[in-house]
Amino acid sequence: MGQVTADRRALWGVFLVSMGALALEIVLTRIFSVTMWYHFAFLAISMALMGSAVAGVFLYFRPGLKQRVWIGRVAALLAVSVPVTFWVYVQIPFAPVLMNRTDWFNNSQLLWLALIYLVLAVPFFLTGMVIAMALSAWAAVAGRVYGADLAGASLGCLLSVVALERLGGTGALLLVGVVLSLAAVVLGWKRPFSRREFALPLLAVLVTGSFFFSQLYSPWLQITVNKAGGVEPTPVYERWNAHSRVTVYEPQGYPFFWAVSPENWEKTVNSDSLYTHALLLIDAVAGTPVQQFDGNLERVSFLRYDLTSLVYHLVEQPRTLVIGPGGGRDVLAALASGAPEVTAVEVNPAVIEAVRGPFADFAGHLYERPDVRVVVADARGFVERSTETYDVIQASLIDTWAAGGSGAFALSENSLYTQEAFRAYYEHLSNRGVLTVSRWYLPERPAETMRLIATGMAGWRMAGVTDPREHIIVVINPQATAQTEGLSTVLFGKRPFTPQDIQRVQQAVGELGYTLLYAPGLPPQDEVSQFVATADHESFIAQYPLDISPATDNRPFFFNLVLFGDLFDSALSGSGVYRTSMEAIVILLAVLGISAFFGLLFILIPLWAATRRGHLARPSASWLLYFALLGIGFMLVEIPTIQKLTVYLGRPVYSLAVVLFSLLLFSGLGSMWSNRWSETETPIWIGRMMLALVVIILLHAWLSAPVLAATLHWSLVARMLLAVLWLSVLGFLLGMPFPTAVRWVGTRQAGAIPWFWGVNGVMSVLGSALATTISIHAGFRWTLLVAALVYGSAWLVLWRGMHPIENVIKTAEPRLSVGD
C-alpha cells in the first residue's frame, strides 16, 4: 500500500513539474518576441528539448543515483532556477537590433546567444532530470508516469494563456516558479516525515512565493531593453496577453503617414487639423497610431491622402471592412472619406482595450461610435463565416513581427495572405467592391509586392475569375517611408476595372504624387507590371530569384521571400523587411548550430566515452534509432497541426491552446492505457497501434483541409469541440510508442532509460527545425507525410528490437539496478 501511495504522489509531482515546464516554454516564447525578434521563438523550443536531453545523459552516467531521494531536491532547485536564470538573462547585453539595421549576426552576438541558451536551458535541464528520474524510479508504471507528464503539459498550455492575460510576461514567469515549488513539496514529502529532506522544497516555496507576490505589489523584475535596441522609454500604458505585449507612449504632435509624397503633404497641411497621435507598439516594434480625434471628421481629412487610402478616391461612400484596425487610423480614414459604416476586425483584444480604455477620450471614443462596429476576432475566420458583403475591404501592412500563439513554431506564417484568403475576400465584395492591400516596396527587388499580386491573382482564379489581370491596379510610392523601402498599394476589383475607373485612379495618382505601375490596358513599365501582364505567370515565378509563388493555407509563409542562396545578397540586406526574412533563416541556422554543438558536447562525446567504459550500460543502436525517430516524428506532427488549425479556430491563441491541450492530454491517456498490456501482449499491441498511427497521420494529411473547410461556419465552441475530437485519436496513438518502449527496456535495464530520453530530446530539436523547413518549402501536407514515413520506420525498428528479446539491449556487464 505504501508503494501505491508513493507512486500516486510521484504522479502528481510529475504532473505539476510538466505543467510548469510547458508554461515556462510558452511564456519565454512570448517574452522573446519582445526582447528579441519573433524568430527566436524557436529558441525556447530548442532550449526545452535540449535541456531535457542533457538531463537524460547526465542520469545515464549516474545509474546509482537514488532517484526517489533526489527527485524532490532537484524539483526544488528547478523552482528557484526559474526567477534566477531569468534575472541573469535580462542582464545579458544581447542586441538583436544590430542584425536588422547595421550589422550581421557576428561572433560576439553568437556568443551572447549561446550564453542565453545555456542560462535559460538550466530550468529545462532540471525538468528533464525530474521526469527522467521518475521514469527510471517507477519504470514498472512508466505509462502512468509518462501520462502524468503529458497531462500536466496539456494544462500547462492553458496555465500560460491565463497567466499571461492576468499577470503579464514577468508575472507569469514568476507564477511558474511557484507552481514548480509546489511540485517540489509533493515530490519531497516522505513518510516518515523528514525535516532534512523537506527543508529544500519548503525553502523553494518561500523564495518563489516571495518573488511572485513582491512582483505583484512592487514590480522589481522588469524588461527594460527590447529588440528595438537600447533602453526603451517608459510607456504610459502597458498590457500583456497571450498575443503580444502592447505599449503606448506619450502623444506626438505631428501627423503619422505610411506613405505620403511631398506634393501630397503640401496639399494636406491645415492649421486646423488634429495631427497629434500616440504610438501604440506591439511587441516593441510593430507600430499603429492612436490618432487624436474630437468627432470632427474634417480635422482628420488628411488621412485620405496617404497611399493606403487610395481606394477611397475610387469608391464613393463605401461600406467598409478594415482588417487589423489597430489604433483606428484606417477606420478614421474611411469615415473621413464618406464611408457610412465601418466594420473593424482586430485579433488582439489588448489593442482594442487601449483605445477604448485609457485613450478613449484622446481617440474621440472612436470604437464606440454608432457607425463603427468593432469585432475582436481573427479577420480571416470572420470573413469566412460572414454573410455580409462590403464595397471596400482594406488590409494595410498587417503584420506584427510578433510570436503569436501558433507563430511560436514557425518563422512568419500569416493566414491573411494566402490564395484561399483572397478567394474569401472576393466572395465578400459587393459588385462594385474593391480589396485594397498595402505592402512594402523595394524598387531594386519588389518581391513582396509581386508575391502579393501572385497570391491575389491565384485567389481570384479560385473564385472563378478567368483573367485576373483585368481586376488589378498597382500604385507605389518608391520613396523610403517608415522603413528602408517604399510602399505599394494593390487594388483587386470584384469586376474588371473599366476605363473610367482607371482614369479616376490616374487623376488621383497625378494629384497625390504617386506612381501608377499597372492598370489594365496600360503598357508595362517595370518588372511588376511585366509580371502582371505576362500570360505565363508560372515561368516568371520559377525564374525569379526570390520566392514570389502564391502563398497557400498549406504553405502560408507569405513573408518568407528569401531563399538560402540569397542570404548575403547586398541588394536585399539594405531592406529592413527583407533583412528580417534573411535573419529568420540565419537565426534558425544559428540556433541549430548551437544545438548541434551542445548536442555534440553533452550527447555524442559522452556516448563515445561510454563505449570505452565497460561498466556502463550501452543500449543497442536499434533502440537509439527508435527513440530518435520518435523525437523527430512527434514534432513533424505537432507543428503543422498547430498551424493548420489557426485559421479554423479564429485566433492563434485558441489554436495553440486547443492543439497542445488535445495532443498532450490524449497522448497522456494513450500512455496510461498502454500500461495495461502484459509483457507478452506488448509486442503485438504496440505493433498494431503504430500501424494505426501511420494510417491516422495519413488521413490527417489528406482529409483535414476539407473537413475543416466544411465546418468553418460553425460557432467557435462547436469548432473547438470538433478540433478536440479530430485530434483525440491522433493524440491517443501518439502517446503509446515512447512509454511502451521505456517500460519494455526498463524491465531489462533501467539504467539505459535516461539515455533514451536524451536521444529523444535531441532529435526533437532537429525535428522542430525539420518540420519548419519542410512546411516552408513544401507545405504542411508534405510535413505530415514525412511524419508518417518516420513513424513507419520506427515501427520497423521496434519490431526488430522486440523480436527476438535477446536483441533488445546490449550490455557491457550484468544488469544494473536503480537506487531507491
Side-chain angles (χ1 to χ4, degrees), residues 56 70-71 128 160 166 209 249 257 265 268 273 314 319 369 409 444 485-486 542 586 630 711 736 754 764:
W70 274 94
I71 194 169
S160 67
R166 300 294 182 182
Y249 298 88
F257 282 108
W265 172 240
T268 57
S273 295
L314 176 63
R319 190 166 178 265
R369 286 174 60 99
F409 301 100
E444 294 80 7
E485 46 273 305
V586 172
L630 292 188
T711 57
M736 297 180 185
S764 295

Side-chain angles (χ1 to χ4, degrees), residues 670-727:
S671 175
M672 292 181 177
W673 188 77
S674 69
N675 199 65
R676 302 168 58 184
W677 301 334
S678 67
E679 184 164 322
T680 56
E681 294 174 324
T682 295
I684 299 174
W685 275 105
I686 190 58
R688 293 174 179 174
M689 294 300 101
M690 289 195 70
L691 286 177
L693 175 59
V694 172
V695 172
I696 292 297
I697 293 174
L698 292 174
L699 290 176
H700 272 256
W702 293 106
L703 297 181
S704 59
V707 169
L708 299 181
T711 57
L712 192 58
H713 62 282
W714 289 8
S715 68
L716 176 61
V717 174
R719 281 179 282 128
M720 283 184 168
L721 291 175
L722 178 63
V724 172
L725 292 175
W726 181 249
L727 297 175

Side-chain angles (χ1 to χ4, degrees), residues 493-516:
K494 180 68 175 282
R495 55 174 174 75
F497 287 114
T498 65
Q500 292 77 18
D501 294 328
I502 297 171
Q503 184 177 4
R504 293 186 65 179
V505 171
Q506 286 177 314
Q507 181 179 353
V509 166
E511 292 177 352
L512 300 176
Y514 297 124
T515 301
L516 177 61

Side-chain angles (χ1 to χ4, degrees), residues 740-817:
T740 300
V742 167
R743 190 172 68 253
W744 179 272
V745 177
T747 58
R748 293 156 175 79
Q749 184 97 41
I753 291 176
W755 178 251
F756 296 140
W757 177 267
V759 169
N760 181 265
V762 170
M763 298 311 294
S764 295
V765 175
L766 300 180
S768 300
L770 180 63
T772 301
T773 302
I774 297 175
S775 297
I776 289 174
H777 291 90
F780 299 137
R781 178 173 294 172
W782 269 105
T783 308
L784 289 174
L785 294 177
V786 174
L789 177 63
V790 169
Y791 274 107
S793 301
W795 173 79
L796 293 175
V797 174
L798 180 70
W799 185 85
R800 291 191 61 186
M802 289 184 170
H803 303 278
I805 293 178
E806 56 265 28
N807 289 337
V808 169
I809 197 162
K810 300 175 182 178
T811 60
E813 67 170 18
R815 173 179 168 182
L816 300 175
S817 63

Side-chain angles (χ1 to χ4, degrees), residues 472-605:
I472 293 177
I473 292 176
V474 183
V475 179
I476 66 166
N477 176 21
Q479 302 172 4
T481 54
Q483 290 287 329
T484 53
E485 46 273 305
L487 195 76
S488 66
T489 290
V490 183
L491 306 179
F492 299 90
K494 180 68 175 282
R495 55 174 174 75
F497 287 114
T498 65
Q500 292 77 18
D501 294 328
I502 297 171
Q503 184 177 4
R504 293 186 65 179
V505 171
Q506 286 177 314
Q507 181 179 353
V509 166
E511 292 177 352
L512 300 176
Y514 297 124
T515 301
L516 177 61
L517 283 190
Y518 177 85
L522 299 182
Q525 54 180 307
D526 74 328
E527 63 179 342
V528 172
S529 55
Q530 290 171 0
F531 171 59
V532 181
T534 185
D536 188 1
H537 291 102
E538 293 184 1
S539 296
F540 196 105
I541 291 171
Q543 295 173 8
Y544 198 76
L546 297 178
D547 186 0
I548 60 171
S549 60
T552 67
D553 282 351
N554 184 54
R555 187 171 169 258
F557 300 89
F558 176 85
F559 300 111
N560 196 69
L561 305 161
V562 179
L563 304 175
F564 281 99
D566 303 307
L567 289 180
F568 301 100
D569 188 336
S570 59
L572 297 177
S573 61
S575 161
V577 173
Y578 289 158
R579 186 144 186 172
T580 300
S581 181
M582 298 165 77
E583 287 156 6
I585 300 174
V586 172
I587 291 168
L588 177 62
L589 295 176
V591 172
L592 278 177
I594 293 173
S595 302
F597 173 75
F598 289 134
L600 176 67
L601 184 63
F602 297 117
I603 304 295
L604 298 183
I605 292 178

